[in-house]
Amino acid sequence: MEFLPALPVLISFTVATLVLSVTPGPDMTLYLARSLSQGRMAGFVTMIGACSGVVIHTLLAAFGVSALLAVSTTGFLVLKIIGALYLLWLAIEAIRNGSALNTQGKGTRKLSLFQNWLTGVGVNLLNPKIVLFFITFLPQFVSPGDPDATQKMVFLGLYFIALAAAFASIVILLVDRLSEALRSNPRIMRTIDWLFAGVFSAFAVRLLLAESK
């Protein structure tokens, strides 16, 4: 099977992926927020959406499209602005339709599973830092002259998603066990809403400061 990397490469990639999986990002913040506000299923669907966005980035990186975007000043700037605005919108939504409101039974707007999935797709698809990550991270584990480099990059990207999704699932299940206790205290939930909004805003600022090179 030509698309499988050598065992030492796969072990190194696994260790690197596990380390990266425990590093919080906008996607983890999002599906944790959805798990708290709308339950386990919403968290899982949002996480699947985030993984779907990573699948697209994996294919773009493997076939060289992401590299072209990263060196295009205009393209990178446009994607960066759109991604930052998207994160700011998520921050505003956390305040306007926060988790604590759901315990009060009013002013809520529960999203459908498709809407949660689509939000998850957007949080990774519109993040140019994900573009830079995949065009710098994946190629490190593939030899430049390897005729099967594209297939191996696709495999590694999907393998990355599988490991990250496994870790995310554990986190969502743990959060779900705490959610009932948290929902019983609207003040705590409202504090969490503001915390999530602050984190999304911070990620938006970091995104605007990101450089293409």
Side-chain angles (χ1 to χ4, degrees):
M1 291 183 288
E2 293 81 3
F3 64 88
L4 288 177
L7 184 58
V9 174
L10 191 59
I11 293 175
S12 299
F13 185 83
T14 301
V15 172
T17 298
L18 291 176
V19 171
L20 291 169
S21 295
V22 302
T23 305
D27 50 355
M28 181 184 290
T29 305
L30 178 63
Y31 59 67
L32 288 183
R34 292 298 162 84
S35 299
L36 283 172
S37 63
Q38 298 187 38
R40 180 192 307 174
M41 183 59 68
F44 275 118
V45 172
T46 304
M47 182 264 291
I48 292 172
C51 290
S52 301
V54 175
V55 169
I56 296 174
H57 278 302
T58 296
L59 296 176
L60 292 177
F63 291 99
V65 178
S66 290
L68 293 176
L69 180 61
V71 298
S72 170
T73 304
T74 302
F76 188 85
L77 177 62
V78 170
L79 187 59
K80 183 168 67 172
I81 292 174
I82 293 175
L85 290 175
Y86 186 73
L87 290 174
L88 288 174
W89 174 76
L90 291 175
I92 294 172
E93 283 295 293
I95 300 301
R96 291 182 56 202
N97 303 294
S99 310
L101 294 178
N102 289 334
T103 64
Q104 298 169 355
K106 61 180 180 179
T108 63
R109 184 172 62 85
K110 189 168 184 177
L111 300 177
S112 67
L113 293 181
F114 177 74
Q115 288 174 314
N116 279 311
W117 175 83
L118 198 60
T119 306
V121 172
V123 80
N124 274 341
L125 192 61
L126 298 176
N127 189 347
K129 296 190 74 174
I130 300 293
V131 175
L132 294 179
F133 170 77
F134 273 92
I135 65 174
T136 56
F137 182 68
L138 290 182
Q140 295 180 42
F141 299 90
V142 179
S143 301
D146 191 340
D148 301 308
T150 299
Q151 294 93 315
K152 288 181 178 178
M153 285 183 66
V154 171
F155 170 80
L156 289 173
L158 297 178
Y159 181 62
F160 174 90
I161 294 168
L163 291 178
F167 174 77
S169 298
I170 294 173
V171 173
I172 290 172
L173 289 174
L174 291 175
V175 169
D176 185 66
R177 295 177 69 90
L178 296 173
S179 61
E180 286 302 322
L182 292 174
R183 289 192 192 109
S184 64
N185 193 324
R187 181 173 297 179
I188 292 179
M189 291 301 293
R190 197 56 179 160
T191 301
I192 292 175
D193 294 335
W194 281 96
L195 176 62
F196 280 135
V199 171
F200 281 128
S201 299
F203 280 127
V205 172
R206 288 183 59 188
L207 195 55
L208 287 174
L209 297 177
E211 298 181 357
S212 59
K213 296 183 181 179

